[in-house]
Structures are given as C-alpha cells and as structure tokens.
C-alpha cells in the first residue's frame, strides 16, 4: 500500500550539477560560524575558538542555475540584511566520526553560496543568549549555485573567494585562510551528527560582511567554481 499523506508532501529542494542532467537533492544545510580569522575579528572574536555549527532548513536554499541570476526577496523583520559569501561543500557519502584523512572521500562536489543573515536579529539573539534561527534560518536565506563535482575540480584547499555588490568590492580572501579546513570541518561535524548524502556544508565567510538593500546585485566568485549572481527584490 502506498503511504497516504494527510497534507501535500513537501518538494525536495535540489541543486543543478555542472555538466550533468542529474540534480543534487538537499538533505540538511550545516553552517560553520566564524571560520576566517579576519571575519571572526570583525565580529568581535579572536578566531581561536573550536569550530561551531548552526543549520538552515533545506528549503531555505534558492537554487541558482548556471549562467542565471538568482533572486531573493528582502526578508521581513530586518533592517540589516548581510551578505556572507561561502564555499559550499556537498556531501556524497555519509558517515560518522570521519577521520580528517578520509574526509575528502565523502565530498561529492562544491558550490558557491550566500549565507544571508538578518544581522540585527542575530545580534539581538546573541545578546540574550537565545538561538540564532531567526537571524540565519529564514526563507530564501541560502542562494546557492550549481555543484561542481570534485571529480572535475579536484580537492579545493586554496583559491580566491570574493564578492562584489553593484560592482563594488566587499569581500575578498582565499579558501586557504579557512581556520578549520574543509576536511577538519567534516571530521568535527561527523562527531556530532551522522552526515548523509545530500548534506550541504556552508564553510564560513571571510571578512567584509555588510548590508544589502532592495535592488542590489551580488556577484560572488570562487576560483575553480565560476560565479554566482543574486539580486535582492
Ligand atoms: Mn556564514
């Protein structure tokens, strides 16, 4: 007997895969906090703490096809919507307690993503010691471009990461500046959660986070992965 559901079954969010007709189904979206030292400092921290994590719902992902310009709505409740350009890692093989040396074998591929943040709400929650969900895990808070399979890109341990808004430079760094490398992040995460195929990891943003307003155009780049364009409606 097929299962009868009482309400419409939610759609599976999926991302395009570069050079393939197949799509990547999104399971969970893990995010790493303060993983570039200069960004940790601009947020008032030292950058010497252990990695820590938060999540976004899978359906907060806005898939942006290759060559297209994505669009997000300016979200409610905030007056300080920030951009955070990030390297996104797509997990192809699950596991728990994954060793750093084995971590790259669990990667399906990489993408460029934006961890959009309602900074004013996040700051309020931080001050009160409350969860960050309202600042981080809102609808359309994660525009992400196509996944480049690791088979095509090779393992990414360095490469320029940058973001402009309306053509003006905002964020620029290098993947090699990650405090916790992608392999270390996978190892840490997998001690706390069982990683599964379909999981995405947003690996943290470099310095230069700032606000966008309606009509702004964000252009993100990561060497080897191309670019991601998103406008704010
Ligand atoms: Mn982030």
């Amino acid at each position: 007997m097929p299962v009868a559901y009482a309400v419409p079954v939610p759609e599976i969010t999926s991302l395009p895969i570069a050079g393939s007709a197949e799509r990547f189904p999104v399971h969970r979206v893990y995010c790493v906090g303060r993983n570039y030292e200069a960004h940790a400092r601009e947020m008032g921290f030292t950058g010497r703490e252990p990695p820590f994590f938060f999540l976004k719902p899978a359906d907060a992902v806005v898939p942006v096809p290759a060559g297209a310009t994505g669009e997000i709505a300016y979200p409610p409740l905030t007056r300080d919507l920030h951009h955070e350009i990030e390297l996104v890692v797509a997990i192809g093989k699950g596991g728990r307690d994954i060793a750093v040396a084995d971590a790259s074998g669990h990667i399906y591929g990489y993408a460029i993503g934006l961890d959009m943040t309602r900074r004013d709400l996040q700051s309020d929650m931080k001050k009160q010691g409350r969860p960050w969900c309202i600042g981080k895990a809102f609808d359309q808070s994660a525009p992400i471009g196509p996944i480049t399979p690791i088979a095509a890109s090779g393992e990414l341990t360095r490469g320029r990461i940058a973001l402009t808004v309306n053509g003006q430079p905002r964020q620029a760094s290098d993947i090699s500046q990650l405090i916790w490398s992608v392999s270390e992040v996978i190892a840490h995460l997998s001690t706390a959660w069982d990683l599964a195929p379909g999981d995405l990891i947003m690996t943290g943003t470099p310095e230069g986070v700032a606000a966008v307003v309606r009509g702004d155009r964000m252009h993100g780049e990561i060497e080897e992965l191309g670019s991601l364009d998103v406008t704010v409606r």
Side-chain angles (χ1 to χ4, degrees):
M1 277 274 287
V3 178
Y5 293 103
V7 299
V9 177
E11 272 183 43
I12 293 174
T13 302
S14 66
L15 289 168
I17 297 170
S20 169
E22 294 180 334
R23 294 184 68 89
F24 184 88
V26 180
H27 178 239
R28 293 179 184 166
V29 184
Y30 296 101
C31 303
V32 188
R34 303 195 283 263
N35 203 17
Y36 288 81
E37 192 177 338
H39 171 63
R41 281 193 262 107
E42 77 181 349
M43 300 303 289
F45 298 85
T46 64
R48 299 186 202 289
E49 49 195 343
F52 69 94
F53 307 103
F54 59 92
L55 288 105
K56 290 179 189 261
D59 69 353
V61 171
V62 177
V64 181
T69 297
E71 192 177 82
I72 58 170
Y74 195 92
L77 302 181
T78 185
R79 290 177 162 190
D80 198 21
L81 177 66
H82 275 204
H83 53 73
E84 296 192 354
I85 181 83
E86 308 203 1
L87 172 68
V88 180
V89 175
I91 296 295
K93 187 177 120 194
R96 65 192 305 172
D97 297 329
I98 297 166
V100 172
D102 298 333
S104 65
H106 292 259
I107 298 172
Y108 177 82
Y110 304 96
I112 306 172
L114 285 163
D115 168 15
M116 299 306 295
T117 303
R118 292 193 283 209
R119 192 72 72 199
D120 43 359
L121 301 186
Q122 183 199 24
S123 300
D124 284 351
M125 292 298 112
K126 275 187 192 173
K127 277 183 210 136
Q128 299 180 63
R130 290 179 176 170
W132 289 10
C133 307
I134 199 164
K136 286 289 197 179
F138 54 93
D139 294 341
Q140 301 191 325
S141 59
I144 299 178
I147 293 175
T148 299
I150 192 171
S153 65
E155 188 179 353
L156 296 188
T157 55
R158 55 180 48 77
R160 178 178 155 83
I161 177 169
L163 181 89
T164 63
V165 176
N166 304 328
Q168 301 302 308
R170 289 277 184 94
Q171 296 188 264
S173 186
D174 194 282
I175 299 302
S176 63
Q177 297 301 304
L178 283 168
I179 296 170
W180 300 95
S181 70
V182 168
S183 288
E184 288 169 332
V185 164
I186 290 171
H188 272 279
L189 261 180
S190 71
T191 65
W193 290 274
D194 281 7
L195 290 184
D199 286 341
L200 298 177
I201 305 169
M202 304 192 78
T203 56
T205 198
E207 64 274 22
V209 299
V212 286
V213 297
R214 287 182 182 83
D216 279 352
R217 181 186 189 87
M218 298 176 279
H219 174 80
E221 290 181 9
I222 296 179
E223 212 175 319
E224 309 294 343
L225 302 181
S227 58
L228 172 70
D229 286 281
V230 178
T231 57
V232 183
R233 177 162 35 89

